[in-house]
């Protein structure tokens, strides 16, 4: 007969499970939700622009690769869109510098950084209607400009304590691999370095594991944005850009509330 665990055994098993989960670092630090939303937004917007316009609006190195790889193609319209994306993205990034000097340094406006999500959100909302009446140049240019503006303004966004690359994942992938290697080395050796206490060594292992988890979450979020946008585009076509608008809107709400909380804490200090 199959042995069924008693109530006391089940309670003991649950207790051991809770203890095990308690030992696994589960960081709850400021910036995680915002970072993951921005990572998924970067994947979603580039997939949309590539599917509909054969140009990228965030990963500009990708545009250069595509331009060179397609030299044999007779597609001047695509070449025009890619160069337009590069140029307007650059103007948007420089506009971020200007707004930083004008609003951040001189006017000392606290919410100017998170406010750069709003132009992108409005462009995403308008793109399906522009697609019916205007040339693709307007959509690509507007998206690239607002993405460049956001990337400059939100460049200091971190996941936990770790900086990461906005709207692209090649650098985050390398950081993730390095972080897992470092964490694995610390956990496998389990040796306490000379001059370091056991508690300090334990804290080092925990920090290394948190860093690896952070970068893994960023990469997973980027991939999730890519997959979700690719699937939604099959059914909703150009209106799938509203997924990016939704993500940007949620990111704005999270970021704005976080900044308001930070202001209250500064005033109460």
């Amino acid at each position: 007969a199959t042995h069924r665990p008693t109530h006391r055994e089940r309670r003991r098993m649950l207790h051991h499970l809770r203890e095990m989960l308690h030992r696994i670092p589960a960081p709850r630090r400021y910036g995680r939700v915002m970072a993951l939303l921005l990572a998924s937004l970067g994947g979603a917007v580039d997939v949309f622009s590539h599917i509909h316009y054969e140009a990228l609006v965030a990963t500009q190195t990708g545009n250069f690769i595509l331009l060179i790889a397609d030299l044999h193609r007779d597609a001047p319209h695509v070449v025009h869109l890619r160069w337009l994306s590069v140029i307007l993205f650059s103007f948007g990034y420089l506009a971020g510098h200007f707004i930083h000097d004008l609003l951040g340094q001189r006017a000392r406006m606290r919410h100017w950084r998170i406010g750069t999500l709003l132009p992108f959100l409005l462009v995403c909302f308008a793109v399906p209607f522009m697609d019916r009446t205007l040339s693709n140049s307007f959509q690509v240019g507007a998206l690239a400009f607002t993405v460049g503006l956001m990337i400059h303004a939100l460049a200091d966004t971190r996941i936990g304590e770790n900086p990461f690359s906005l709207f692209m994942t090649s650098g985050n992938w390398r950081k993730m691999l390095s972080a897992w290697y470092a964490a694995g080395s610390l956990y496998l050796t389990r040796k306490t370095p000379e001059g370091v206490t056991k508690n300090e060594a334990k804290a080092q292992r925990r920090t290394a594991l948190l860093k690896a988890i952070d970068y893994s979450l960023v990469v997973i979020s980027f991939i999730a944005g890519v997959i979700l946008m690719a699937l939604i585009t099959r059914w909703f076509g150009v209106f799938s850009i509203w997924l990016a608008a939704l993500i940007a809107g949620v990111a704005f709400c999270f970021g704005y509330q976080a900044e308001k909380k930070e202001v209250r804490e500064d005033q109460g200090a």
Side-chain angles (χ1 to χ4, degrees), residues 5-35:
T6 63
H7 179 67
R8 179 176 296 179
E9 289 174 335
R10 285 197 295 268
R11 288 186 61 183
R12 189 182 298 115
M13 290 169 60
L14 288 173
H15 174 74
H16 289 315
L17 179 61
R18 283 195 295 267
E19 287 294 315
M20 183 183 69
L21 292 175
H22 180 71
R23 296 190 193 102
I24 298 175
R28 300 179 180 87
R29 290 170 292 171
Y30 169 75
R32 175 163 282 101
V33 174
M34 184 70 172

Side-chain angles (χ1 to χ4, degrees), residues 135-155:
S135 166
N136 290 342
S137 301
F138 289 92
Q139 293 89 296
V140 172
L143 286 171
F145 182 88
T146 52
V147 167
L149 182 65
M150 280 193 301
I151 286 180
H152 178 274
L154 301 173

Side-chain angles (χ1 to χ4, degrees), residues 14-239:
L14 288 173
H15 174 74
H16 289 315
L17 179 61
R18 283 195 295 267
E19 287 294 315
M20 183 183 69
L21 292 175
H22 180 71
R23 296 190 193 102
I24 298 175
R28 300 179 180 87
R29 290 170 292 171
Y30 169 75
R32 175 163 282 101
V33 174
M34 184 70 172
L36 300 183
L37 287 170
L38 292 176
S40 61
L41 180 60
V45 71
D46 256 351
V47 166
F48 173 86
S49 62
H50 183 65
I51 290 174
H52 291 278
Y53 310 121
E54 295 188 68
L56 304 174
V57 295
T59 313
Q60 295 304 323
T61 51
N63 276 327
F64 286 112
I65 292 171
L66 292 172
L67 282 166
I68 296 171
D70 289 348
L71 285 175
H72 65 283
R73 288 180 58 189
D74 185 18
H77 181 63
V78 173
V79 172
H80 162 75
L81 290 179
R82 289 171 185 167
W83 277 117
L84 184 68
S85 177
V86 171
I87 294 169
L88 267 295
F89 175 92
S90 302
F91 282 139
Y93 193 85
L94 293 174
H97 275 287
F98 176 75
I99 294 174
H100 172 263
D101 291 340
L102 184 66
L103 299 181
Q105 297 291 341
R106 298 178 187 175
R108 297 186 181 278
M109 291 182 63
R110 289 182 178 270
H111 305 297
W112 76 270
R113 293 184 184 277
I114 198 68
T116 57
L117 282 163
L118 296 178
F120 175 78
L121 196 156
L122 293 174
V123 168
C124 288
F125 179 77
V127 159
F129 306 105
M130 295 166 63
D131 206 64
R132 298 181 178 184
T133 57
L134 300 173
S135 166
N136 290 342
S137 301
F138 289 92
Q139 293 89 296
V140 172
L143 286 171
F145 182 88
T146 52
V147 167
L149 182 65
M150 280 193 301
I151 286 180
H152 178 274
L154 301 173
D156 62 346
T157 304
R158 293 170 176 255
I159 179 161
E161 300 171 357
N162 306 302
F164 71 101
S165 303
L166 287 173
F167 283 68
M168 55 199 74
T169 201
S170 56
N172 297 326
W173 183 267
R174 294 193 301 271
K175 291 175 182 177
M176 179 192 72
L177 296 177
S178 298
W180 277 115
Y181 181 83
S185 300
L186 290 174
Y187 273 90
L188 289 175
T189 56
R190 285 282 180 174
K191 292 182 179 179
T192 303
E194 294 184 7
V196 178
T197 65
K198 287 186 177 181
N199 287 336
E200 289 173 341
K202 184 178 179 181
Q204 288 177 359
R205 289 194 295 269
R206 179 183 174 86
T207 300
L209 183 57
L210 291 179
K211 185 175 181 179
I213 293 172
D214 280 342
Y215 284 123
S216 299
L217 290 173
V218 169
V219 170
I220 291 170
S221 297
F222 181 89
I223 296 172
V226 168
I227 295 173
L228 192 58
M229 178 60 79
L231 292 175
I232 290 179
T233 298
R234 295 180 59 184
W235 295 300
F236 297 99
V238 73
F239 284 92

